[in-house]
Amino acid sequence: MSARTLENNAPHRAGFACFVGRPNAGKSTLTNALVGQKVAITSNRPQTTRHTVRGIVHREDAQLILVDTPGLHKPRTLLGERLNDVVRTTWAEVDVIGFCLPADQKLGPGDKFIIKELAGIKKTPKIAIITKTDLVDSNTLAEQLLAVSRLGEELGFEWAEIIPVSAVKGDQVELLADLIAPLLPQSPPLYPEGDLTDEPEMVMVAELIREAALEGVRDELPHSIAVVVEEMLPREDRPADKPLLDIHANVYIERPSQKGIIIGPQGKRLKEVGTKSRKHIEALLGTPVFLDLHVKVAKDWQRDPKQLRKLGF
């Protein structure tokens, strides 16, 4: 597979490509690597992404709008069911589907389940992306490439491309963009030059806080954490050359017993969450920030339709 050279008179293309796969397959890290900036939060916890995040890649020949989706999984809660619905709705509407499979894990029932579903989507070209190649040797990678190719054949469809990448090291990331671009429809750019995402700022800020809150928590807690930014307001009476943005946000958990884990002894852990996320928020917004965090209990919110609506799902 080699990068395709485009003739000078080739038409401009623009369209949507989504990355799908089971949880923790490297979809968000790949989205960030292609965009060249953090637009999707990442974590070694499965099911970090809870809604579709659009990252925009601007090229001379094409504009790629990348849709990073939640990991498709066997749902145990109403939230899980809604996340799976988001994935299926997304891949029905895009121009290209990129199926992410980690190089360091053998194909499992979850991968086969997703590939069977993809086989039913006849017209949309599908690229198999073998992620995390920096974690394996060349023999393991070759075996994974063969296994993915065979699985497509067994299910009666042909991958448009099969490509190994390492988003962490940047290996073949540019080539992946080269392979996606010709599969998109002819179109002028759909977003203005310079836009890297269409995510609302308040959503991105909430996600950065949640990313910091996910670090180092116990196994049962990650799925119980949700963050809502209540308001973002410029501090009044500040000189123009020293602005300050006040952000008030609530971190929601499902049970009172989880509150102490998030807050930590003498509030130390919550303070760390605030310090860590504030750095990323200031980089995102380009302005100094005062971050006011509170922890609240929303009982069993993952299973409660009313609470899910309130928290934006």
Side-chain angles (χ1 to χ4, degrees), residues 89-102:
T89 304
T90 302
W91 71 28
E93 294 172 347
V94 295
D95 303 297
V96 180
I97 298 169
F99 179 36
C100 295
L101 301 111

Side-chain angles (χ1 to χ4, degrees), residues 183-243:
L183 300 173
L184 300 174
Q186 292 184 22
S187 165
L190 302 171
Y191 286 87
E193 181 73 40
D195 280 13
L196 297 180
T197 181
D198 66 354
E199 280 283 281
E201 281 183 350
M202 282 176 89
V203 172
M204 290 192 76
V205 168
E207 287 289 272
L208 289 170
I209 296 167
R210 186 164 68 92
E211 180 180 46
L214 283 171
E215 278 190 31
V217 295
R218 287 186 204 157
D219 284 345
E220 76 275 10
L221 196 54
H223 309 305
S224 300
I225 298 173
V227 178
V228 175
V229 173
E230 299 296 337
E231 59 178 14
M232 289 170 40
L233 296 167
R235 178 83 59 93
E236 289 178 13
D237 307 324
R238 295 281 294 193
D241 61 337
K242 288 189 179 172

Side-chain angles (χ1 to χ4, degrees), residues 245-313:
L245 188 67
D246 285 319
I247 298 176
H248 300 278
N250 291 326
V251 179
Y252 288 94
I253 33 84
E254 293 191 293
R255 295 190 299 281
S257 61
Q258 297 169 333
K259 216 168 176 179
I261 303 170
I262 289 288
I263 295 171
Q266 287 90 47
K268 189 175 170 216
R269 198 163 181 287
L270 189 62
K271 198 175 176 187
E272 283 171 6
V273 170
T275 305
K276 199 162 278 189
S277 56
R278 193 177 72 242
K279 233 184 277 180
H280 289 301
I281 293 165
E282 288 179 341
L284 172 75
L285 302 178
T287 185
V289 159
F290 172 77
L291 184 58
D292 177 39
L293 288 181
H294 293 272
V295 180
K296 297 192 172 186
V297 178
K299 195 171 181 318
D300 292 331
W301 67 263
Q302 291 186 77
R303 293 169 172 82
D304 181 344
K306 200 193 281 186
Q307 298 272 27
L308 281 170
R309 269 198 305 278
K310 184 183 163 192
L311 296 175
F313 298 104

Side-chain angles (χ1 to χ4, degrees), residues 107-122:
L107 290 187
D111 298 314
K112 290 170 187 174
F113 169 73
I114 296 169
I115 292 178
K116 272 183 189 162
E117 291 216 14
L118 292 180
I121 306 165
K122 300 294 182 196

